Amino acid sequence: MNEYEPILLRNVGKPNVRQLDAYRATGGYEGAVRALAHTPDEVIDVVKRANLRGRGGAGFPAGVKWSFLPKERDITYLCVNADESEPPTFSNRVLMEEDPHQLLEGILIAGYATQATVAYLYMRAEFAEQFHIMQKALDEAYHAGYFGKNILNSGYDLECYIHRGAGAYVCGEETGLIESLEGKRGWPRIKPPFPAIQGAFGKPTVVNNVETLANLPHIIQRGADWFMGIGPEGSSGPKLFCISGAVNKPGCYEWSMDITVRDLIEDDRFGGGMRDGLKVKAVMPGGISMGILTADELDMKMDFSDPANYGLLGLGTSSAIVIDEHTDIRKVLRNVARFYAHESCGQCTQCREGTSWMYKIANRVERGLGRAEDIELLGQIPSKMGMMPGLSICGLSDGATFAIRTIVEKFRSELEGYVGSVDDEVVRIALEIAN
Amino acid sequence: MAWKTVDRVSQPASDSPGLSEPLKDKIRGFFDRYPTKRAALIPALHMIQDDHGYIGWRAMDEVAELLEITASDVFDTVSFYSHFWTHPRGKKVVMVCRSISCDLLGADDVLSECKRVMGIDEHETSADGSYSLMTEECLATCDHGPCMVVNEKLHKCVSPSQVEKILNDADNDVLDVPRSDLYDGAERNQG
Ligand SMILES: Cc1cc2nc3c(=O)[nH]c(=O)nc-3n(C[C@H](O)[C@H](O)[C@H](O)COP(=O)(O)O)c2cc1C
Ligand code: SF4
Ligand code: FES
C-alpha cells in the first residue's frame, strides 16, 4: 500500500482546532477566499474536472449536480445532509466534531458556486454535542464575516442555519430531508421534479453530504489535477472509511480509495486485525444497505466500481461492520430486517409491507420457528420492491433489498440448516399465540 | 415509524400546558430563517418539548395558531418523528442503541440491565417519573458501541456493569461541550 497524507482529518488532535483562529492557522478559509475571487462557473468547473463524487451514498458527481440548476433563478437553497443514520456510519460525526470550520468553509464554497441564498445544515437530532460545536463555529464564522452579507467584500450574501431533525432515518434521503426542513413528515417525494429544479420551498435546491463538502476547500486550494491524482480513476480524492465490530481498532480512517476490505480490517493503520484472533465470517462494507460480503470476498476494493462485482449496491457510506465467526447469521438478518421495518416511512405499500414481512420472517427464523419455505420467501420479497424495478419512491427499499437478499443468497445453506426442523403445525400454533 | 394514537381520555387537552409568551417569542425568532412559517415547526417542537417535557394537545393547538397552520398539520408532523412525545415522560430519557454494531457488541445486555435497574420495560416511565426507557437505531458512534444516551448525553462503550453507576449519576445528562441555547426552550435557563 502506498503512503498517504491525511487531508480531511489533517487537523484531528491539533489543539483548539474547533476555534476559528486555530483553523485559520492551518490555512483555513484560504480556499474560500480563492473561490470568491473566481466566478461561480469557474468553481463549478474545477469541481467537475476533479470529478468529486458524492460521499452521501450514491456517488453522483457534485459539479454535475450543481450544473443541473436552471440558469435563470432568483433563489437557490443549499441543504447540507448531516442526517447520518445509516448503520454503522459515523464519518460525518467525526468531521463535525473534529474540524467544524472545514465543513463551514466547504458550505461557503458550495454556496458560492451554486449562488445559494441560504444554506441549511440539516443535522439529525441525536447529534447533540456536534450541534453545539457546529453552532459555536458558525457563530464565530459569522462574526468574522464568512457568512452573512457581502462576504469578504465579494458582494456575495449567504445565510447559514442549522436545522435539527427529530429522529427518522428516511430524512437522510434528499427529498425526505427537504420535506422535513419544510416542517412536514419526512416523506420522500416522487422524482422528477428533482431538487435542482424544484426542491425546498419549491425552489432550485442542491443537497450535498458533509464529507462531499469538506473536500471543497482542498480542491480549490490544490486544484483538480491534484485531486484526480489521489486514488484510482473514477474514485479520486480522499475518503473516510469507518470500521466497527470485531476488530482491534474500530474507528474512522482516511485513505485513498485503493484499499481493500481486507486492508481495512487487517492493516495496522486501520482496523488492526480481528479481536481476540477471531476469524471473519462476514462484512457489510458500505453501510448495511449495500449488502454483505463473505470471508472469501475480502479482496473487494473500497471504491465506487468494485462493489458491484460482488453483488453489492455500491460503495455506500464506505462503513464496514465486521462480523466474527461465532456470530449467528440469523442475528444479523433479524437486526437488519428490523431496521428497515422500523424506518420505512410507509408511503409505498410494497416497502411498508415488504420490510415488515421480512422482519417477521427473520424473527421467526431466529427463534427456531422458521418453515422450510421461509428462506425462499425471504429471497423473493426483495425482488418485488425498490426503485430499481421502479416500484417505490425512494432508495430505502433498495437498501433493504440488497441487505436482505445478499444475506439470504450468500448464507443460504447456513440459514436453511435452521429451518424446517419444527413441525408445521407447531409453527402455526406458535405464530397464532405470538400474534 | 409506528403510528401514535391520540388518547384524549388520559390526556385531555385542558390538562396540558400552553405556550408562554417567552416561548412564543423564542419560536418567532426562527421565522426569518425560513420562507414559510411552517418550516419553524420542528424547531418550535424541540423548544416546546424542552420546556414542557412533551408536546401536549394544547401546545399543538397553540403552535398551530402561531404558525398559521392547522392542528392536524402539527399532529401530522409530531407523530412522524420518534423524538417527539405526546405524553409526559420521565425527567430523563434513556435510549439504548440497538442497531447492528452495538447489537453485536452486547446492546441487549445493556438494555436488560437498564430494565433491571429502572424496574421498567421499554417504552415505560418509572413510577417516580425519573426515567423513561427507549431503544434507538444507530447513533452514529458505532466505533464506541454499545452506546446509550441519557437525554442528549451520549455514553460510549457501555458495559452492563457500568449501567447502574451511570444511571445513579446526577450529572449523567451533562454535555462535555459548551451549550448553544439556540434550540433550548425559553424556560430552560430560568430554572
Ligand atoms: C433512505 C436513504 C437515507 C439516506 N441517508 C443519507 C444520510 O444520512 N446522509 C447523506 O448524506 N445522504 C443520505 N442519503 C443519500 C441522499 O439522498 C443524497 O443522495 C445525498 O445526500 C447527496 O449528497 P452527495 O451527492 O454529496 O453524496 C440517503 C438516501 C436514502 C435513500
Ligand atoms: S421506499 Fe419506503 S421509505 Fe422510501 S418513500 Fe417508499 S415507503 Fe417510504
Ligand atoms: S450501531 Fe450503535 S451507534 Fe451505530
Side-chain angles (χ1 to χ4, degrees):
Chain A
M1 212 186 315
N2 53 336
E3 281 313 304
Y4 180 85
E5 175 215 331
I7 317 284
L8 301 174
L9 300 183
R10 76 198 192 292
N11 285 336
V12 172
K14 290 191 188 156
N16 304 324
V17 77
R18 287 174 189 162
Q19 292 167 17
L20 181 60
D21 286 346
Y23 178 68
R24 268 199 299 221
T26 69
Y29 286 104
E30 281 171 22
V33 171
R34 191 180 277 222
L36 290 171
H38 288 81
T39 66
D41 282 344
E42 284 167 351
V43 178
I44 295 182
D45 194 53
V46 175
V47 175
K48 255 192 198 164
R49 274 195 295 119
N51 192 20
L52 168 62
R53 299 180 62 171
R55 284 7 186 184
F60 196 82
V64 177
K65 189 184 323 196
W66 299 350
S67 52
F68 291 157
L69 290 164
K71 284 279 163 286
E72 297 297 323
R73 58 186 198 275
D74 49 349
I75 293 174
T76 310
Y77 294 111
L78 172 65
C79 295
V80 185
N81 195 338
D83 195 57
E84 186 160 73
S85 353
E86 169 80 20
T89 309
F90 43 92
S91 44
N92 291 179
R93 162 176 68 85
V94 173
L95 284 171
M96 292 188 286
E97 247 173 48
E98 300 288 344
D99 208 352
H101 283 287
Q102 175 174 250
L103 172 59
L104 293 178
E105 186 179 357
I107 294 174
L108 174 52
I109 295 169
Y112 178 70
T114 57
Q115 288 293 291
T117 33
V118 185
Y120 295 106
L121 172 54
Y122 186 102
M123 260 187 165
R124 63 178 297 186
E126 294 83 354
F127 279 157
E129 302 214 341
Q130 294 77 7
F131 161 69
H132 296 292
I133 291 167
M134 286 306 307
Q135 184 61 46
K136 185 153 186 296
L138 182 59
D139 292 344
E140 250 191 316
Y142 254 101
H143 193 71
Y146 294 115
F147 289 96
K149 297 264 177 267
N150 188 19
I151 295 166
L152 307 175
N153 290 321
S154 63
Y156 173 59
D157 306 336
L158 176 65
E159 302 298 333
C160 179
Y161 303 115
I162 300 180
H163 184 93
R164 303 187 74 184
Y169 168 66
V170 78
C171 291
E173 197 276 342
E174 54 187 6
T175 57
L177 183 152
I178 288 170
E179 287 284 306
S180 178
L181 176 68
E182 293 182 0
K184 303 174 190 155
R185 329 184 109 227
W187 273 355
R189 294 177 181 169
I190 295 175
K191 290 148 281 226
F194 288 96
I197 308 298
Q198 206 177 340
F201 310 105
K203 300 291 181 192
T205 301
V206 165
V207 184
N208 271 130
N209 169 263
V210 165
E211 187 182 334
T212 311
L213 299 185
N215 276 288
L216 293 175
H218 311 289
I219 294 176
I220 300 300
Q221 278 278 57
R222 306 202 202 184
D225 291 338
W226 163 80
F227 194 83
M228 292 291 278
I230 300 173
E233 208 188 324
S235 300
S236 46
K239 185 77 194 80
L240 299 185
F241 301 95
C242 302
I243 182 164
S244 59
V247 292
N248 284 320
K249 295 194 306 164
C252 175
Y253 300 97
E254 178 181 345
W255 206 265
S256 51
M257 285 182 255
D258 37 24
I259 60 170
T260 64
V261 177
R262 191 185 309 284
D263 295 331
L264 191 59
I265 296 171
E266 289 175 4
D267 198 283
D268 274 341
R269 287 168 289 194
F270 312 117
M274 290 294 283
R275 209 181 52 197
D276 307 326
L278 291 163
K279 288 201 180 66
V280 177
K281 171 171 186 162
V283 184
M284 302 185 92
I288 58 174
S289 296
M290 298 299 117
I292 202 163
L293 297 176
T294 65
D296 297 330
E297 298 177 315
L298 303 185
D299 292 322
M300 186 195 93
K301 292 200 202 70
M302 296 290 283
D303 65 18
F304 283 111
S305 59
D306 208 27
N309 299 328
Y310 293 81
L312 304 192
L313 180 52
L315 180 63
T317 59
S318 58
S319 300
I321 165 75
V322 183
I323 297 156
D324 71 60
E325 55 185 324
H326 299 310
T327 306
D328 188 333
I329 199 69
R330 292 176 297 177
K331 188 177 169 94
V332 176
L333 179 68
R334 191 185 70 93
N335 186 297
V336 167
R338 199 225 37 246
F339 179 80
Y340 297 106
H342 183 251
E343 298 297 345
S344 168
C345 82
Q347 282 190 100
C348 318
T349 310
Q350 62 308 322
C351 172
R352 180 185 67 238
E353 301 302 320
T355 50
S356 295
W357 194 7
M358 293 193 292
Y359 174 44
K360 278 184 193 157
I361 297 173
N363 217 347
R364 65 175 177 254
V365 170
E366 194 191 23
R367 289 172 190 197
L369 290 172
R371 304 167 304 171
E373 66 263 38
D374 277 345
I375 304 303
E376 191 57 39
L377 202 51
L378 263 183
Q380 274 175 14
I381 298 169
S383 67
K384 304 285 188 287
M385 52 193 266
M387 277 177 95
M388 306 290 220
L391 290 171
S392 55
I393 297 174
C394 93
L396 184 143
S397 42
D398 298 277
T401 296
F402 272 77
I404 307 282
R405 200 181 54 211
T406 53
I407 294 175
V408 172
E409 277 169 7
K410 296 184 184 186
F411 292 89
R412 192 171 187 114
S413 59
E414 181 179 344
L415 287 167
E416 277 172 348
Y418 293 124
V419 297
S421 54
V422 185
D423 186 71
D424 269 3
E425 186 58 13
V426 176
V427 174
R428 197 185 59 74
I429 295 168
L431 289 176
E432 234 176 69
I433 296 169
N435 295 333
Chain B
M1 299 284 111
W3 286 87
K4 288 173 199 159
T5 51
V6 178
D7 179 0
R8 296 215 161 88
V9 179
S10 66
Q11 281 299 311
S14 52
D15 270 11
S16 61
L19 310 187
S20 67
E21 265 318 306
L23 182 53
K24 283 186 187 166
D25 275 343
K26 186 121 202 208
I27 294 169
R28 287 188 193 104
F30 272 67
F31 285 179
D32 59 5
R33 299 177 154 230
Y34 310 102
T36 66
K37 284 190 179 161
R38 181 172 185 159
L41 178 57
I42 290 177
L45 295 172
H46 277 297
M47 291 184 260
I48 294 168
Q49 183 157 293
D50 196 49
D51 269 2
H52 300 171
Y54 70 109
I55 300 159
W57 305 118
R58 238 179 94 192
M60 283 195 232
D61 282 342
E62 293 187 15
V63 79
E65 198 173 314
L66 191 66
L67 303 185
E68 295 165 21
I69 52 181
T70 65
S72 67
D73 289 335
V74 175
F75 185 67
D76 195 42
T77 298
V78 170
S79 60
F80 183 75
Y81 296 96
S82 59
H83 270 247
F84 295 139
W85 293 61
T86 52
H87 52 87
R89 52 182 187 165
K91 269 180 96 122
K92 288 180 179 174
V93 177
V94 174
M95 294 184 294
V96 179
C97 175
R98 61 179 182 179
S99 286
I100 188 79
S101 294
C102 292
D103 188 8
L104 297 183
L105 291 166
D108 272 354
D109 299 334
V110 172
L111 182 63
S112 307
E113 183 62 5
C114 285
K115 289 180 185 170
R116 189 192 68 77
V117 174
M118 297 179 191
I120 52 174
D121 208 343
E122 215 182 310
H123 302 297
E124 288 181 355
T125 298
S126 58
D128 64 353
S130 58
Y131 277 109
S132 297
L133 181 61
M134 303 283 290
T135 52
E136 251 302 345
E137 298 298 348
C138 183
L139 299 164
T141 318
C142 328
D143 47 345
H144 290 96
C147 301
M148 66 184 235
V149 169
V150 182
N151 287 342
E152 290 202 307
K153 167 75 186 167
L154 183 75
H155 295 266
K156 302 172 177 178
C157 302
V158 180
S159 69
S161 62
Q162 293 168 323
V163 167
E164 192 155 3
K165 187 158 165 275
I166 294 173
L167 293 178
N168 287 331
D169 174 5
D171 292 332
N172 58 11
D173 61 344
V174 179
L175 297 183
D176 288 337
V177 298
R179 292 185 67 88
S180 153
D181 62 6
L182 189 71
Y183 271 79
D184 292 349
E187 323 280 306
R188 185 188 181 102
N189 299 320
Q190 287 151 28

